[in-house]
Amino acid sequence: MALFSTRLTNRLAEARAQLQRVGDTASGVGLWALIGILFSYAALAETQLFIIGLIVGGVLALGAIGLTLIYGVLRFGNFAHGDTMMLGSYLAFFFLTGRVLAERRDTSIGFSLNDLPGATERLGDLTFGYGFLLAIALTAIVLAAFSVGLDRLVYRPLRRRRSAIVIFAMASLGVAFSLRALLLIIWGPGPRSYIKGIFLAQKYPFDITLKTDQVFIFAVALALAVLVYLLLFRTKLGKAMRAYADNADLALVSGINTDRIIVWTWAIGGALMAIAGILLSLQANLKPELGFQLLLPLFAAAILGGLGKPQGAFIGALVVGVSQEVSVAYLSAGYKPGVAFAILILILLLRPRGLFGSTT
Amino acid sequence: MIRADRLITPIALFLVAFFVVALPAERSRDFDGTITFLAGFATTVGIYAIFTLALNVQWGYTGVFNFGVAAFFLVGAYTSAIFTKPPSSSEFVQYVGGFGNFLSPPLLDSGEWLPFLVGIAAAGAMSGILAFLLSLPTLRLREDYLAIATIGVAELLRRVVIEERGIVNGTNGLVGIPRPLSGYVDPRDYTFLFLGLVLVVLILLFIAVERGIRSPWGRVLRALREDELATAASGKNVFAFKMQGFVVGAVIMGIGGAVFAYGRGSVGPETFDHFFATFLFWAMLIIGGSGNNRGAVAGAFFVWGIYTIALQLNGYDLPAVLKTRIFFIRDFLIGAMLVLILLLRPQGMFPEERRVSIWLDRRMRQLRRAPPETPGEPEP
């Protein structure tokens, strides 16, 4: 009798596991189907907003890829990600114009990239000249170094002490608010923009109107995403990073240098944050408080794709970007963060490990 | 020997206390004015201490990661306002509810205190319900999922308040929230009465939290914060206990929101931004010492003391470069202080007690009072 009941419970457990597997596959397929429906509907019904959403999503993807990489390697959600992105956009503003806030007005430090000969001459239909491209590159380098330095100062001591993951998250929250205060100290609360003036949009087929800047933004975002993909999947460093993210102990046993991985993760994450921040601010004004508001769409994208999975973060960011922009046709624009939140809650309820996440 | 690191806490607290008293006294050179100012300061500290206590229940004891204190703050403040205000009389001011008249029947002169108590209870209940709903999808997952979900709900609620003007009057906010017991004293002395009210609420909550933590229930919370797996293996329902800790904290936050609304007499959406209404409480708790209720209260005093000092300094003739930035510098310092505390002194000002048990405390006291007789002594 006892034997029989053991067998029965074993059988039941097996059946339950099988059911879970089926449910899991179903939730995955269902999610992909949902995304497919959303995209085809948006593309057909709201083509203009759909394209804008793809552009916004492309920029978000750069931030979300950095977030997910840092999560994969260091195992904590970096709550300073959005504010570091804003630091990037302000740094680019500084390199371009050389301006900081003095008492009540701006003062210039006397040298800036815009002062270079012909730096502001517009490249084709774009609103900026080569000075802006230099600013992007310079900011990416500076922010990569900044991120590595911040890791040395804050996160490495915590790692050495084997602090709980939540302590890292808390420290990143402290960093986030310090950074925002720092932006306010240096550049003040007023909105700023890279380029002054109004530029006309071009007409494209299917009744789409886009500014050339927006095409540039999407092209850069896509190119960088491809670059990150190549780096992660075609180089030895990328392989090591993915291995470390998958299973840190196994990676250590295989002789992977942890320190090197972490430095590269922050450097890549920092450079991506800088470029994402700048591209985002090319379309809208720079404001210090934007950084924290970026967190919600970034995390929604990263969790939707499965934390730690860069390819997932890319898809997730496109979904979040498109949903947010298309929602404007039906809801007030103030609800954009609400859309990201809805996606987040939905994914947490249906499939918390995301599209690409592994079961363990 | 006195160890140096034991001195840091009293010195830091004393310095802040000194400047909080000395700066307004020096500026106004008026005893009554200074006392009134200090009463206002103490009231604010008391209200914020309610929030840090609540956060301590959630984070310090249960280990639940709530980055959206603003959400529960907002729900508490608006709920109490809706429950105590009379119905809207103008078409330009729109809000739901307005049960104030309904709650003020001429019963034992209850017009002063009944709406106030009902408002507090309703605020706690609504906030607890929100926490319950939020815990369903998130509490079973990793800690940071709850963190980002709470950030999300705080942002969403703020947006709803701003966008849906019909619910609580949009960006204009609600003004004229009846102040509790204001009919009993001279308006000039009301500051002191309200301070007493806040202190009563704070002390009651403090005792309740201390009592809860020193019970078997509290020890389960602490156990699952340390090791969920081991707690589950001891036969405790981890999810249920976590949810209880989260909901209890949220109820206290709702009460804090209600008291805040009564103290101000008005609420508007601008109060509930992430820095002010979430991060500040976290900084207070971590600096004071998470896992220690006295630390939570001390942290509220310390951080709000720094806030007030910056405000006072702004009244002096500072150079314009500094004057426009003093609040940003203060915010930067508080953020940096949080990071530094995590790096250098993670236990905060008041480290967590290792033993939380009423029974053991009592036993230890007994032992100390009557040391066991040393054996071998001859009896006379």
Side-chain angles (χ1 to χ4, degrees):
Chain A
M1 191 65 204
L3 190 74
F4 176 70
S5 72
T6 327
R7 229 143 126 209
L8 190 68
T9 44
N10 278 351
R11 196 61 73 70
L12 274 175
E14 239 169 63
R16 211 177 134 204
Q18 203 141 29
L19 205 67
Q20 246 168 14
R21 270 199 294 279
V22 171
D24 198 63
T25 324
S27 76
V29 171
L31 215 56
W32 279 110
L34 214 63
I35 292 172
I37 293 169
L38 169 81
F39 270 41
S40 22
Y41 172 76
L44 291 173
E46 306 285 347
T47 319
Q48 171 74 25
L49 289 173
F50 175 69
I51 300 292
I52 302 281
L54 283 183
I55 293 167
V56 172
V59 180
L60 279 180
L62 297 184
I65 289 172
L67 187 68
T68 220
L69 280 180
I70 291 169
Y71 183 91
V73 171
L74 296 144
R75 301 266 140 208
F76 76 94
N78 179 18
F79 287 92
H81 216 82
D83 288 281
T84 319
M85 274 167 73
M86 280 327 282
L87 175 68
S89 12
Y90 271 91
L91 276 178
F93 171 81
F94 176 68
F95 292 141
L96 262 182
T97 60
R99 274 155 56 175
V100 292
L101 187 71
E103 286 182 11
R104 277 184 186 79
R105 290 232 192 95
D106 276 0
T107 178
S108 175
I109 56 156
F111 174 78
S112 67
L113 290 176
N114 273 349
D115 294 342
L116 293 175
T120 50
E121 224 162 89
R122 290 173 59 185
L123 299 168
D125 274 338
L126 296 169
T127 56
F128 47 80
Y130 76 87
F132 186 73
L133 300 180
L134 282 181
I136 293 182
L138 193 56
T139 313
I141 294 168
V142 170
L143 218 56
F146 171 83
S147 296
V148 174
L150 196 68
D151 180 69
R152 285 282 142 101
L153 270 176
V154 177
Y155 302 117
R156 191 162 75 165
L158 290 177
R159 270 201 303 281
R160 289 257 165 92
R161 219 169 41 216
R162 298 188 172 277
S163 293
I165 286 166
V166 281
I167 300 295
F168 285 85
M170 189 100 59
S172 73
L173 193 71
V175 170
F177 282 104
S178 311
L179 280 181
R180 186 173 87 164
L182 204 64
L183 295 183
L184 286 165
I185 292 171
I186 303 175
W187 288 285
R192 286 162 188 284
S193 60
Y194 294 133
I195 289 110
K196 291 214 159 45
I198 296 164
F199 297 93
L200 287 178
Q202 260 81 34
K203 286 235 182 292
Y204 288 85
F206 300 108
D207 277 344
I208 300 164
T209 44
L210 286 178
K211 290 178 186 165
T212 316
D213 279 8
Q214 292 173 315
V215 180
F216 168 81
I217 290 170
F218 193 61
V220 172
L222 210 60
L224 276 171
V226 170
L227 216 64
V228 172
Y229 178 83
L230 290 179
L231 184 102
L232 285 174
F233 288 87
R234 293 281 183 276
T235 66
K236 209 166 172 194
L237 173 75
K239 209 171 174 182
M241 276 170 72
R242 285 186 300 127
Y244 190 82
D246 249 9
N247 189 332
D249 293 330
L250 209 60
L252 282 179
V253 175
S254 332
I256 287 174
N257 183 348
T258 318
D259 229 32
R260 195 165 148 257
I261 300 263
I262 290 173
V263 165
W264 274 107
T265 306
W266 279 112
I268 294 167
L272 286 176
M273 279 188 253
I275 298 168
I278 298 168
L279 293 182
L280 214 59
S281 312
L282 186 58
Q283 288 206 81
N285 285 334
L286 290 85
K287 271 186 238 152
E289 66 266 25
L290 280 185
F292 203 76
Q293 291 170 10
L294 278 171
L295 274 187
L296 206 54
L298 287 179
F299 268 96
I303 292 176
L304 175 57
L307 275 173
K309 302 283 172 191
Q311 70 274 39
F314 184 75
I315 305 275
L318 290 186
V319 173
V320 171
V322 167
S323 320
Q324 280 194 342
E325 292 305 317
V326 172
S327 80
V328 175
Y330 307 95
L331 295 167
S332 153
Y335 279 130
K336 276 187 192 175
V339 174
F341 178 65
I343 293 175
L344 182 77
I345 290 292
L346 205 66
I347 191 80
L348 289 184
L349 280 171
L350 292 180
R351 198 180 157 92
R353 61 195 177 76
L355 285 173
F356 291 91
S358 49
T359 26
T360 46
Chain B
M1 204 183 91
I2 304 169
R3 285 177 42 211
D5 62 327
R6 290 236 172 130
L7 283 174
I8 293 176
T9 304
I11 289 176
L13 287 176
F14 174 77
L15 275 180
V16 167
F18 175 76
F19 282 110
V20 164
V21 177
L23 285 178
E26 199 274 330
R27 278 185 64 212
S28 68
R29 299 196 184 277
D30 167 30
F31 183 74
D32 283 349
T34 309
I35 290 293
T36 312
F37 174 84
L38 288 179
F41 171 78
T43 308
T44 314
V45 168
I47 294 172
Y48 293 163
I50 295 175
F51 286 100
T52 47
L53 266 186
L55 200 56
N56 197 24
V57 173
Q58 292 185 341
W59 166 248
Y61 293 123
T62 320
V64 169
F65 210 22
N66 178 2
F67 270 179
V69 182
F72 306 99
F73 189 172
L74 182 150
V75 166
Y78 274 116
T79 306
S80 68
I82 286 171
F83 268 77
T84 44
K85 267 173 78 73
S88 169
S89 52
S90 146
E91 57 180 306
F92 298 109
V93 183
Q94 294 177 343
Y95 52 87
V96 294
F99 307 120
N101 294 345
F102 174 69
L103 289 173
S104 315
L107 170 87
L108 288 175
D109 200 14
S110 66
E112 290 289 341
W113 52 266
L114 187 65
F116 159 66
L117 290 182
V118 171
I120 281 193
M126 287 297 280
S127 179
I129 290 169
L130 175 67
F132 173 74
L133 293 178
L134 203 58
S135 68
L136 292 178
T138 50
L139 266 191
R140 284 180 206 276
L141 307 167
R142 280 182 41 130
E143 297 99 329
D144 12 13
Y145 284 81
L146 181 73
I148 191 70
T150 45
I151 289 181
V153 83
E155 182 68 26
L156 184 65
L157 283 178
R158 202 165 61 94
R159 294 291 169 139
V160 169
V161 164
I162 293 171
E163 297 286 336
E164 307 296 327
R165 294 185 41 95
I167 302 180
V168 279
N169 205 24
T171 39
N172 295 332
L174 296 176
V175 293
I177 301 169
R179 315 200 70 181
L181 310 182
S182 58
Y184 292 116
V185 291
D186 191 32
R188 271 177 304 166
D189 295 334
Y190 186 72
T191 321
F192 299 100
L193 177 83
F194 193 72
L195 171 63
L197 212 63
V198 169
L199 288 183
V200 167
V201 173
L202 176 65
I203 289 169
L204 286 180
L205 287 173
F206 189 91
I207 292 171
V209 170
E210 276 280 296
R211 191 70 227 274
I213 289 312
R214 287 165 195 281
S215 71
W217 178 78
R219 285 192 290 278
V220 175
L221 294 190
R222 288 217 330 172
L224 72 88
R225 183 199 64 190
E226 290 301 322
D227 193 339
E228 269 183 35
L229 214 58
T231 318
S234 330
K236 303 292 180 196
N237 185 342
V238 167
F239 180 69
F241 274 99
K242 255 178 139 172
M243 184 192 273
Q244 286 163 18
F246 184 47
V247 170
V248 167
V251 168
I252 301 176
M253 282 173 192
I255 295 174
V259 176
F260 177 88
Y262 292 135
R264 270 254 184 115
S266 65
V267 271
E270 73 286 343
T271 305
F272 306 104
D273 81 89
H274 295 286
F275 182 82
F276 179 78
T278 297
F279 179 69
L280 209 55
F281 300 131
W282 272 101
M284 287 170 179
L285 180 64
I286 300 295
I287 291 171
S290 67
N292 186 325
N293 290 326
R294 280 173 302 150
V297 178
F301 166 75
F302 183 76
V303 172
W304 194 250
I306 292 177
Y307 243 73
T308 309
I309 291 169
L311 200 67
Q312 289 292 325
L313 284 177
N314 204 34
Y316 285 90
D317 233 0
L318 297 175
V321 177
L322 209 61
K323 202 169 169 101
T324 50
R325 289 182 173 82
I326 187 152
F327 298 122
F328 304 142
I329 294 172
R330 168 198 69 190
D331 293 353
F332 176 78
L333 286 180
I334 289 173
M337 209 179 330
L338 176 78
V339 178
L340 280 180
I341 283 267
L342 288 176
L343 285 175
L344 304 176
R345 196 184 161 90
Q347 73 273 32
M349 287 176 158
F350 290 86
E352 185 175 359
E353 296 160 281
R354 285 176 57 202
R355 186 183 70 236
V356 287
S357 157
I358 291 181
W359 187 83
L360 267 178
D361 287 348
R362 216 175 281 153
R363 185 91 190 106
M364 297 294 273
R365 264 201 302 273
Q366 275 173 4
L367 283 176
R368 221 172 292 147
R369 212 174 297 141
E373 289 167 23
T374 39
E377 261 180 64
E379 284 191 25

